[in-house]
Amino acid sequence: MPSKLDQLRAMTIVVADTGDIEAVRRLKPQDCTTNPTLLLKAVETPAYVHLLDEAIDWGRKQAGSAEAVTAAICDRLAVSFGTELTKIVPGRVSTEVDADLSFDTEGSIAKARALIAAYEARGVSRDRILIKVAATWEGIRAAEELQREGIDCNLTLLFSLVQAAACADAGVFLISPFVGRILDWHVKAGGGPYTAETDPGVQSVRAIYAYYKAHGIKTVVMGASFRNTAEIEALAGCDRLTIGPALMDQLAADEGPLPRRLDPAKASEAPAKMSVDEKTFRFLLNEDAMATEKLSEGIRLFVKDLRALRGLVAKRLEQAKAA
């Protein structure tokens, strides 16, 4: 019998949730997604020091304040990693807009345009890239404009149906509802024990999937942030699933049967169609303590790692200038 990973690939597009180029080469996913946390881990790995060195050398030739040059180097690093990944995966590579722009619509649009221009300058067309933006109201508005410009977006840090409904209304290409972080919140709040069927993160993605399929919404649902393979198996058949290398290896080693759990032809018990304006979005998000807290926490964590990356780059830049 084929492995569970191979069985999953027969019904779901599998995406690698990693910035480790060698892991992507080994696991052969269709797509790949990165974020500031994964990028920070990658640049601290000796195997990728050449990408950091190249970006630092480039940065030394740029004019502007130290802060602006450091930010530009970080963008170049993200595009360098993304470009390498496009040489390995046949599909899309997600690149994230800076998390400190999560409440800045115009800033997010400008950053996305700059990232796409940098990719195109390297010969990577925009149809190979997804721009990742946090699913705040401001982020969704940015994505709406970017989609009109032909820049496909991946809305991340998504924890609730109202976020998913607003993303659908904006015509975004793809959403990344987080499974494991939802589970984390409920466990911390004293819930459980949970099975794969009662896992609140799994249930959230199933509800969003049913909503999209029942109402003819074309936006892709890509489950993300998994804590175990049981969560992944419970979402087999989802449009896409982004999975870390360790869990992909576990699925590859398991040859048990993997039944399809999500099917667009069998989407039942779908939530009613929502009409989401800004007031409704903010109120319903506020009503959901888990989604409010995890969205805020997620932005803070990504900003923390972004600042750490900028700090590492600034230090290396100073060392290079002093050499």
Short mmCIF file of all heavy atoms in Angstrom, two decimals, residues 59-128:
data_model
loop_
_atom_site.label_atom_id
_atom_site.label_comp_id
_atom_site.label_asym_id
_atom_site.label_seq_id
_atom_site.Cartn_x
_atom_site.Cartn_y
_atom_site.Cartn_z
N GLY A 59 23.61 44.89 0.27
CA GLY A 59 23.17 45.96 1.15
C GLY A 59 24.24 47.02 1.37
O GLY A 59 23.92 48.21 1.53
N ARG A 60 25.49 46.61 1.36
CA ARG A 60 26.58 47.57 1.57
C ARG A 60 26.64 48.62 0.47
O ARG A 60 27.18 49.71 0.66
CB ARG A 60 27.92 46.83 1.64
CG ARG A 60 28.07 45.94 2.86
CD ARG A 60 29.40 45.22 2.83
NE ARG A 60 30.53 46.16 2.94
CZ ARG A 60 31.80 45.81 2.83
NH1 ARG A 60 32.11 44.53 2.59
NH2 ARG A 60 32.76 46.70 2.94
N LYS A 61 26.08 48.31 -0.69
CA LYS A 61 26.12 49.24 -1.82
C LYS A 61 24.88 50.13 -1.90
O LYS A 61 24.78 50.98 -2.79
CB LYS A 61 26.24 48.44 -3.12
CG LYS A 61 27.44 47.51 -3.19
CD LYS A 61 27.44 46.75 -4.50
CE LYS A 61 28.61 45.77 -4.59
NZ LYS A 61 28.45 44.63 -3.70
N GLN A 62 23.92 49.92 -0.97
CA GLN A 62 22.67 50.67 -1.02
C GLN A 62 22.77 51.95 -0.19
O GLN A 62 23.39 51.98 0.86
CB GLN A 62 21.52 49.81 -0.51
CG GLN A 62 21.39 48.47 -1.20
CD GLN A 62 21.36 48.57 -2.70
OE1 GLN A 62 20.54 49.30 -3.27
NE2 GLN A 62 22.25 47.84 -3.37
N ALA A 63 22.10 52.99 -0.68
CA ALA A 63 22.04 54.26 0.05
C ALA A 63 20.82 54.26 0.97
O ALA A 63 19.90 53.46 0.80
CB ALA A 63 21.95 55.42 -0.94
N GLY A 64 20.83 55.14 1.95
CA GLY A 64 19.68 55.25 2.85
C GLY A 64 20.09 55.05 4.29
O GLY A 64 21.25 54.76 4.60
N SER A 65 19.12 55.19 5.18
CA SER A 65 19.38 54.99 6.60
C SER A 65 19.70 53.54 6.89
O SER A 65 19.36 52.64 6.11
CB SER A 65 18.15 55.41 7.41
OG SER A 65 17.06 54.53 7.16
N ALA A 66 20.34 53.33 8.03
CA ALA A 66 20.69 51.95 8.42
C ALA A 66 19.44 51.10 8.54
O ALA A 66 19.43 49.92 8.14
CB ALA A 66 21.45 51.97 9.75
N GLU A 67 18.37 51.69 9.06
CA GLU A 67 17.11 50.96 9.23
C GLU A 67 16.52 50.57 7.88
O GLU A 67 16.07 49.43 7.69
CB GLU A 67 16.11 51.82 10.00
CG GLU A 67 14.81 51.13 10.31
CD GLU A 67 13.88 52.01 11.13
OE1 GLU A 67 14.00 52.03 12.36
OE2 GLU A 67 13.04 52.72 10.51
N ALA A 68 16.53 51.50 6.93
CA ALA A 68 15.98 51.22 5.61
C ALA A 68 16.80 50.17 4.87
O ALA A 68 16.24 49.27 4.22
CB ALA A 68 15.91 52.51 4.79
N VAL A 69 18.11 50.25 4.97
CA VAL A 69 18.97 49.28 4.31
C VAL A 69 18.79 47.89 4.91
O VAL A 69 18.72 46.88 4.20
CB VAL A 69 20.45 49.72 4.37
CG1 VAL A 69 21.38 48.61 3.88
CG2 VAL A 69 20.66 50.98 3.54
N THR A 70 18.68 47.83 6.24
CA THR A 70 18.46 46.55 6.91
C THR A 70 17.16 45.91 6.44
O THR A 70 17.11 44.70 6.14
CB THR A 70 18.43 46.74 8.43
OG1 THR A 70 19.71 47.18 8.87
CG2 THR A 70 18.10 45.44 9.13
N ALA A 71 16.09 46.70 6.36
CA ALA A 71 14.80 46.19 5.89
C ALA A 71 14.91 45.71 4.46
O ALA A 71 14.34 44.66 4.09
CB ALA A 71 13.74 47.27 6.02
N ALA A 72 15.63 46.44 3.62
CA ALA A 72 15.80 46.06 2.22
C ALA A 72 16.57 44.75 2.11
O ALA A 72 16.26 43.90 1.26
CB ALA A 72 16.51 47.16 1.45
N ILE A 73 17.57 44.56 2.96
CA ILE A 73 18.34 43.31 2.95
C ILE A 73 17.43 42.14 3.34
O ILE A 73 17.50 41.05 2.74
CB ILE A 73 19.54 43.40 3.90
CG1 ILE A 73 20.57 44.40 3.36
CG2 ILE A 73 20.20 42.03 4.09
CD1 ILE A 73 21.72 44.70 4.32
N CYS A 74 16.58 42.34 4.33
CA CYS A 74 15.65 41.28 4.75
C CYS A 74 14.71 40.91 3.61
O CYS A 74 14.42 39.73 3.40
CB CYS A 74 14.87 41.72 5.98
SG CYS A 74 15.86 41.81 7.49
N ASP A 75 14.23 41.91 2.88
CA ASP A 75 13.37 41.63 1.72
C ASP A 75 14.15 40.83 0.68
O ASP A 75 13.62 39.89 0.08
CB ASP A 75 12.87 42.93 1.09
CG ASP A 75 11.82 43.63 1.94
OD1 ASP A 75 11.31 43.00 2.89
OD2 ASP A 75 11.52 44.80 1.65
N ARG A 76 15.39 41.23 0.45
CA ARG A 76 16.21 40.52 -0.53
C ARG A 76 16.43 39.07 -0.10
O ARG A 76 16.41 38.15 -0.94
CB ARG A 76 17.55 41.24 -0.71
CG ARG A 76 18.38 40.67 -1.86
CD ARG A 76 19.61 41.52 -2.13
NE ARG A 76 20.39 41.02 -3.25
CZ ARG A 76 20.16 41.31 -4.52
NH1 ARG A 76 19.15 42.09 -4.84
NH2 ARG A 76 20.93 40.81 -5.49
N LEU A 77 16.65 38.87 1.19
CA LEU A 77 16.80 37.50 1.70
C LEU A 77 15.56 36.67 1.43
O LEU A 77 15.65 35.52 0.98
CB LEU A 77 17.07 37.54 3.20
CG LEU A 77 18.51 37.47 3.68
CD1 LEU A 77 18.56 37.64 5.19
CD2 LEU A 77 19.13 36.13 3.29
N ALA A 78 14.39 37.25 1.73
CA ALA A 78 13.13 36.53 1.52
C ALA A 78 12.97 36.14 0.06
O ALA A 78 12.57 35.01 -0.26
CB ALA A 78 11.95 37.39 1.98
N VAL A 79 13.31 37.07 -0.83
CA VAL A 79 13.19 36.79 -2.26
C VAL A 79 14.25 35.79 -2.71
O VAL A 79 13.99 34.93 -3.57
CB VAL A 79 13.27 38.11 -3.06
CG1 VAL A 79 13.34 37.83 -4.56
CG2 VAL A 79 12.06 38.99 -2.75
N SER A 80 15.43 35.85 -2.13
CA SER A 80 16.48 34.88 -2.46
C SER A 80 16.05 33.47 -2.10
O SER A 80 16.21 32.53 -2.90
CB SER A 80 17.78 35.24 -1.73
OG SER A 80 18.32 36.45 -2.21
N PHE A 81 15.53 33.31 -0.88
CA PHE A 81 15.04 31.99 -0.48
C PHE A 81 13.89 31.56 -1.37
O PHE A 81 13.82 30.41 -1.82
CB PHE A 81 14.60 32.01 0.98
CG PHE A 81 15.70 31.71 1.95
CD1 PHE A 81 16.45 32.72 2.50
CD2 PHE A 81 16.00 30.41 2.30
CE1 PHE A 81 17.48 32.46 3.39
CE2 PHE A 81 17.03 30.12 3.19
CZ PHE A 81 17.77 31.16 3.73
N GLY A 82 12.96 32.48 -1.62
CA GLY A 82 11.82 32.15 -2.46
C GLY A 82 12.22 31.75 -3.85
O GLY A 82 11.67 30.80 -4.43
N THR A 83 13.20 32.45 -4.42
CA THR A 83 13.68 32.13 -5.76
C THR A 83 14.29 30.73 -5.80
O THR A 83 14.04 29.96 -6.74
CB THR A 83 14.72 33.17 -6.22
OG1 THR A 83 14.10 34.47 -6.25
CG2 THR A 83 15.25 32.84 -7.60
N GLU A 84 15.09 30.38 -4.79
CA GLU A 84 15.65 29.03 -4.71
C GLU A 84 14.55 27.99 -4.63
O GLU A 84 14.63 26.92 -5.26
CB GLU A 84 16.59 28.91 -3.51
CG GLU A 84 17.87 29.71 -3.65
CD GLU A 84 18.68 29.32 -4.87
OE1 GLU A 84 18.93 28.11 -5.06
OE2 GLU A 84 19.05 30.22 -5.64
N LEU A 85 13.51 28.29 -3.86
CA LEU A 85 12.41 27.33 -3.71
C LEU A 85 11.63 27.15 -5.01
O LEU A 85 11.14 26.06 -5.30
CB LEU A 85 11.48 27.80 -2.58
CG LEU A 85 12.07 27.71 -1.17
CD1 LEU A 85 11.20 28.45 -0.17
CD2 LEU A 85 12.27 26.26 -0.74
N THR A 86 11.51 28.22 -5.82
CA THR A 86 10.79 28.08 -7.09
C THR A 86 11.52 27.17 -8.06
O THR A 86 10.92 26.66 -9.01
CB THR A 86 10.58 29.45 -7.79
OG1 THR A 86 11.84 30.04 -8.12
CG2 THR A 86 9.76 30.39 -6.93
N LYS A 87 12.82 26.96 -7.83
CA LYS A 87 13.59 26.06 -8.69
C LYS A 87 13.34 24.59 -8.32
O LYS A 87 13.72 23.69 -9.07
CB LYS A 87 15.08 26.37 -8.56
CG LYS A 87 15.46 27.77 -9.01
CD LYS A 87 16.93 28.06 -8.71
CE LYS A 87 17.30 29.49 -9.07
NZ LYS A 87 18.72 29.81 -8.71
N ILE A 88 12.71 24.38 -7.16
CA ILE A 88 12.50 23.01 -6.67
C ILE A 88 11.05 22.59 -6.78
O ILE A 88 10.74 21.51 -7.27
CB ILE A 88 12.96 22.89 -5.20
CG1 ILE A 88 14.41 23.35 -5.05
CG2 ILE A 88 12.79 21.46 -4.70
CD1 ILE A 88 14.87 23.49 -3.61
N VAL A 89 10.13 23.45 -6.31
CA VAL A 89 8.71 23.09 -6.36
C VAL A 89 8.11 23.51 -7.70
O VAL A 89 8.49 24.54 -8.26
CB VAL A 89 7.92 23.73 -5.20
CG1 VAL A 89 8.46 23.26 -3.86
CG2 VAL A 89 7.92 25.25 -5.28
N PRO A 90 7.18 22.73 -8.22
CA PRO A 90 6.56 23.08 -9.50
C PRO A 90 5.48 24.15 -9.38
O PRO A 90 5.10 24.76 -10.37
CB PRO A 90 5.96 21.75 -9.97
CG PRO A 90 5.67 21.01 -8.70
CD PRO A 90 6.76 21.38 -7.75
N GLY A 91 5.00 24.37 -8.15
CA GLY A 91 3.88 25.28 -7.96
C GLY A 91 4.28 26.63 -7.39
O GLY A 91 5.21 27.28 -7.87
N ARG A 92 3.58 27.03 -6.34
CA ARG A 92 3.72 28.38 -5.78
C ARG A 92 4.65 28.41 -4.57
O ARG A 92 4.76 27.44 -3.82
CB ARG A 92 2.35 28.87 -5.32
CG ARG A 92 1.28 28.84 -6.39
CD ARG A 92 1.24 30.12 -7.16
NE ARG A 92 0.01 30.26 -7.91
CZ ARG A 92 -0.57 31.43 -8.19
NH1 ARG A 92 -0.04 32.55 -7.77
NH2 ARG A 92 -1.68 31.48 -8.90
N VAL A 93 5.24 29.57 -4.36
CA VAL A 93 6.00 29.85 -3.14
C VAL A 93 5.37 31.07 -2.47
O VAL A 93 5.16 32.10 -3.12
CB VAL A 93 7.49 30.13 -3.44
CG1 VAL A 93 8.22 30.60 -2.19
CG2 VAL A 93 8.16 28.88 -4.00
N SER A 94 5.04 30.95 -1.19
CA SER A 94 4.47 32.07 -0.45
C SER A 94 5.57 32.89 0.21
O SER A 94 6.47 32.33 0.83
CB SER A 94 3.50 31.56 0.63
OG SER A 94 2.31 31.07 0.06
N THR A 95 5.47 34.20 0.07
CA THR A 95 6.40 35.12 0.70
C THR A 95 5.60 36.15 1.48
O THR A 95 4.65 36.72 0.97
CB THR A 95 7.28 35.82 -0.35
OG1 THR A 95 8.05 34.83 -1.05
CG2 THR A 95 8.22 36.82 0.29
N GLU A 96 6.02 36.38 2.72
CA GLU A 96 5.20 37.15 3.65
C GLU A 96 5.52 38.64 3.67
O GLU A 96 6.69 39.05 3.68
CB GLU A 96 5.38 36.58 5.06
CG GLU A 96 4.36 37.08 6.05
CD GLU A 96 3.87 35.97 6.97
OE1 GLU A 96 4.23 34.80 6.75
OE2 GLU A 96 3.13 36.28 7.90
N VAL A 97 4.47 39.44 3.65
CA VAL A 97 4.60 40.87 3.91
C VAL A 97 4.97 41.04 5.38
O VAL A 97 4.52 40.28 6.25
CB VAL A 97 3.27 41.60 3.60
CG1 VAL A 97 3.23 42.99 4.20
CG2 VAL A 97 3.04 41.66 2.09
N ASP A 98 5.81 42.04 5.69
CA ASP A 98 6.24 42.25 7.07
C ASP A 98 5.05 42.32 8.02
O ASP A 98 4.08 43.04 7.79
CB ASP A 98 7.03 43.56 7.18
CG ASP A 98 8.34 43.51 6.41
OD1 ASP A 98 8.77 42.40 6.04
OD2 ASP A 98 8.91 44.59 6.18
N ALA A 99 5.15 41.57 9.12
CA ALA A 99 4.03 41.48 10.07
C ALA A 99 3.73 42.81 10.73
O ALA A 99 2.61 43.04 11.19
CB ALA A 99 4.34 40.42 11.13
N ASP A 100 4.72 43.71 10.80
CA ASP A 100 4.45 45.01 11.42
C ASP A 100 3.64 45.93 10.50
O ASP A 100 3.33 47.07 10.86
CB ASP A 100 5.73 45.70 11.89
CG ASP A 100 6.78 45.84 10.81
OD1 ASP A 100 6.49 45.54 9.63
OD2 ASP A 100 7.91 46.27 11.12
N LEU A 101 3.26 45.42 9.33
CA LEU A 101 2.36 46.13 8.42
C LEU A 101 0.94 45.54 8.47
O LEU A 101 0.11 45.88 7.62
CB LEU A 101 2.89 46.06 6.98
CG LEU A 101 4.24 46.74 6.72
CD1 LEU A 101 4.72 46.44 5.30
CD2 LEU A 101 4.15 48.24 6.96
N SER A 102 0.67 44.70 9.44
CA SER A 102 -0.60 43.98 9.50
C SER A 102 -1.82 44.89 9.61
O SER A 102 -2.94 44.48 9.27
CB SER A 102 -0.60 42.99 10.67
OG SER A 102 0.36 41.99 10.48
N PHE A 103 -1.63 46.12 10.09
CA PHE A 103 -2.75 47.06 10.22
C PHE A 103 -2.55 48.28 9.30
O PHE A 103 -3.14 49.33 9.51
CB PHE A 103 -2.90 47.51 11.68
CG PHE A 103 -3.12 46.35 12.60
CD1 PHE A 103 -2.08 45.85 13.38
CD2 PHE A 103 -4.36 45.72 12.68
CE1 PHE A 103 -2.28 44.76 14.23
CE2 PHE A 103 -4.56 44.63 13.51
CZ PHE A 103 -3.52 44.15 14.28
N ASP A 104 -1.73 48.09 8.27
CA ASP A 104 -1.40 49.16 7.34
C ASP A 104 -1.71 48.69 5.92
O ASP A 104 -0.90 48.01 5.29
CB ASP A 104 0.09 49.51 7.49
CG ASP A 104 0.54 50.66 6.60
OD1 ASP A 104 -0.21 51.03 5.68
OD2 ASP A 104 1.65 51.18 6.81
N THR A 105 -2.88 49.06 5.42
CA THR A 105 -3.30 48.60 4.10
C THR A 105 -2.35 49.09 3.01
O THR A 105 -1.85 48.29 2.20
CB THR A 105 -4.73 49.08 3.80
OG1 THR A 105 -5.63 48.49 4.75
CG2 THR A 105 -5.17 48.65 2.40
N GLU A 106 -2.09 50.38 2.96
CA GLU A 106 -1.25 50.93 1.91
C GLU A 106 0.19 50.43 2.03
O GLU A 106 0.84 50.16 1.01
CB GLU A 106 -1.28 52.46 1.95
CG GLU A 106 -2.63 53.05 1.58
CD GLU A 106 -3.13 52.57 0.22
OE1 GLU A 106 -2.30 52.51 -0.72
OE2 GLU A 106 -4.32 52.25 0.10
N GLY A 107 0.68 50.30 3.26
CA GLY A 107 2.03 49.77 3.45
C GLY A 107 2.15 48.34 2.97
O GLY A 107 3.16 47.96 2.36
N SER A 108 1.12 47.55 3.23
CA SER A 108 1.13 46.15 2.78
C SER A 108 1.10 46.06 1.27
O SER A 108 1.80 45.23 0.65
CB SER A 108 -0.08 45.41 3.37
OG SER A 108 0.02 45.30 4.77
N ILE A 109 0.30 46.91 0.63
CA ILE A 109 0.23 46.92 -0.83
C ILE A 109 1.58 47.28 -1.42
O ILE A 109 2.07 46.64 -2.36
CB ILE A 109 -0.86 47.90 -1.31
CG1 ILE A 109 -2.26 47.36 -0.92
CG2 ILE A 109 -0.78 48.11 -2.82
CD1 ILE A 109 -3.38 48.36 -1.15
N ALA A 110 2.21 48.34 -0.88
CA ALA A 110 3.51 48.77 -1.39
C ALA A 110 4.56 47.68 -1.22
O ALA A 110 5.37 47.43 -2.13
CB ALA A 110 3.94 50.05 -0.67
N LYS A 111 4.57 47.02 -0.05
CA LYS A 111 5.55 45.96 0.19
C LYS A 111 5.33 44.79 -0.77
O LYS A 111 6.29 44.24 -1.32
CB LYS A 111 5.45 45.48 1.64
CG LYS A 111 6.39 44.33 1.99
CD LYS A 111 7.86 44.75 1.94
CE LYS A 111 8.21 45.65 3.09
NZ LYS A 111 9.66 45.92 3.16
N ALA A 112 4.07 44.42 -0.98
CA ALA A 112 3.77 43.31 -1.89
C ALA A 112 4.22 43.63 -3.31
O ALA A 112 4.81 42.78 -3.99
CB ALA A 112 2.27 43.03 -1.86
N ARG A 113 3.94 44.83 -3.76
CA ARG A 113 4.38 45.24 -5.10
C ARG A 113 5.90 45.17 -5.23
O ARG A 113 6.43 44.72 -6.25
CB ARG A 113 3.90 46.65 -5.41
CG ARG A 113 2.39 46.78 -5.64
CD ARG A 113 2.00 48.24 -5.69
NE ARG A 113 0.57 48.43 -5.96
CZ ARG A 113 -0.08 49.57 -5.73
NH1 ARG A 113 0.57 50.61 -5.19
NH2 ARG A 113 -1.36 49.68 -6.02
N ALA A 114 6.60 45.61 -4.18
CA ALA A 114 8.07 45.60 -4.20
C ALA A 114 8.60 44.16 -4.25
O ALA A 114 9.56 43.86 -4.97
CB ALA A 114 8.62 46.33 -2.98
N LEU A 115 7.98 43.25 -3.49
CA LEU A 115 8.41 41.86 -3.49
C LEU A 115 8.19 41.22 -4.86
O LEU A 115 9.06 40.52 -5.39
CB LEU A 115 7.64 41.07 -2.42
CG LEU A 115 8.01 41.39 -0.97
CD1 LEU A 115 7.01 40.74 -0.02
CD2 LEU A 115 9.43 40.94 -0.64
N ILE A 116 7.03 41.49 -5.46
CA ILE A 116 6.74 40.94 -6.78
C ILE A 116 7.72 41.49 -7.82
O ILE A 116 8.22 40.75 -8.68
CB ILE A 116 5.28 41.25 -7.19
CG1 ILE A 116 4.30 40.41 -6.35
CG2 ILE A 116 5.06 40.97 -8.68
CD1 ILE A 116 4.41 38.90 -6.55
N ALA A 117 8.02 42.79 -7.73
CA ALA A 117 8.98 43.39 -8.66
C ALA A 117 10.36 42.75 -8.50
O ALA A 117 11.07 42.52 -9.49
CB ALA A 117 9.07 44.90 -8.42
N ALA A 118 10.75 42.48 -7.25
CA ALA A 118 12.05 41.85 -7.00
C ALA A 118 12.10 40.44 -7.58
O ALA A 118 13.13 40.01 -8.13
CB ALA A 118 12.34 41.82 -5.50
N TYR A 119 11.00 39.70 -7.44
CA TYR A 119 10.94 38.36 -8.04
C TYR A 119 11.02 38.45 -9.56
O TYR A 119 11.76 37.70 -10.21
CB TYR A 119 9.65 37.65 -7.64
CG TYR A 119 9.74 36.89 -6.34
CD1 TYR A 119 8.99 37.27 -5.22
CD2 TYR A 119 10.55 35.77 -6.22
CE1 TYR A 119 9.06 36.57 -4.03
CE2 TYR A 119 10.63 35.05 -5.03
CZ TYR A 119 9.89 35.46 -3.95
OH TYR A 119 9.98 34.76 -2.77
N GLU A 120 10.25 39.38 -10.13
CA GLU A 120 10.23 39.49 -11.59
C GLU A 120 11.59 39.90 -12.13
O GLU A 120 11.99 39.48 -13.22
CB GLU A 120 9.13 40.46 -12.01
CG GLU A 120 7.73 39.89 -11.76
CD GLU A 120 6.60 40.82 -12.13
OE1 GLU A 120 6.82 42.05 -12.18
OE2 GLU A 120 5.47 40.32 -12.37
N ALA A 121 12.34 40.70 -11.35
CA ALA A 121 13.69 41.08 -11.75
C ALA A 121 14.62 39.88 -11.82
O ALA A 121 15.63 39.89 -12.53
CB ALA A 121 14.26 42.12 -10.79
N ARG A 122 14.28 38.83 -11.08
CA ARG A 122 15.07 37.59 -11.10
C ARG A 122 14.50 36.55 -12.06
O ARG A 122 14.92 35.39 -12.06
CB ARG A 122 15.15 37.01 -9.69
CG ARG A 122 15.83 37.92 -8.69
CD ARG A 122 16.08 37.22 -7.39
NE ARG A 122 16.62 38.12 -6.38
CZ ARG A 122 17.35 37.72 -5.35
NH1 ARG A 122 17.65 36.45 -5.22
NH2 ARG A 122 17.79 38.59 -4.47
N GLY A 123 13.50 36.95 -12.82
CA GLY A 123 12.92 36.04 -13.79
C GLY A 123 11.85 35.14 -13.24
O GLY A 123 11.44 34.17 -13.90
N VAL A 124 11.36 35.43 -12.01
CA VAL A 124 10.29 34.63 -11.40
C VAL A 124 8.98 35.38 -11.61
O VAL A 124 8.79 36.47 -11.07
CB VAL A 124 10.53 34.41 -9.89
CG1 VAL A 124 9.40 33.58 -9.29
CG2 VAL A 124 11.88 33.72 -9.67
N SER A 125 8.08 34.81 -12.39
CA SER A 125 6.82 35.48 -12.70
C SER A 125 5.88 35.46 -11.50
O SER A 125 5.96 34.59 -10.62
CB SER A 125 6.14 34.82 -13.89
OG SER A 125 5.86 33.45 -13.62
N ARG A 126 4.98 36.42 -11.46
CA ARG A 126 4.07 36.55 -10.32
C ARG A 126 3.14 35.36 -10.15
O ARG A 126 2.63 35.13 -9.05
CB ARG A 126 3.27 37.85 -10.42
CG ARG A 126 2.33 37.96 -11.59
CD ARG A 126 1.63 39.31 -11.61
NE ARG A 126 2.58 40.42 -11.67
CZ ARG A 126 2.26 41.69 -11.44
NH1 ARG A 126 1.00 42.01 -11.18
NH2 ARG A 126 3.16 42.64 -11.51
N ASP A 127 2.93 34.57 -11.21
CA ASP A 127 2.06 33.41 -11.07
C ASP A 127 2.73 32.25 -10.34
O ASP A 127 2.12 31.22 -10.10
CB ASP A 127 1.52 32.95 -12.43
CG ASP A 127 2.62 32.49 -13.39
OD1 ASP A 127 3.81 32.55 -13.03
OD2 ASP A 127 2.27 32.06 -14.50
N ARG A 128 4.00 32.44 -9.94
CA ARG A 128 4.69 31.45 -9.12
C ARG A 128 4.71 31.83 -7.64
O ARG A 128 5.16 31.04 -6.80
CB ARG A 128 6.16 31.29 -9.58
CG ARG A 128 6.36 30.76 -10.98
CD ARG A 128 5.89 29.33 -11.15
NE ARG A 128 6.35 28.45 -10.10
CZ ARG A 128 7.60 27.94 -10.02
NH1 ARG A 128 8.50 28.24 -10.94
NH2 ARG A 128 7.93 27.10 -9.04
#
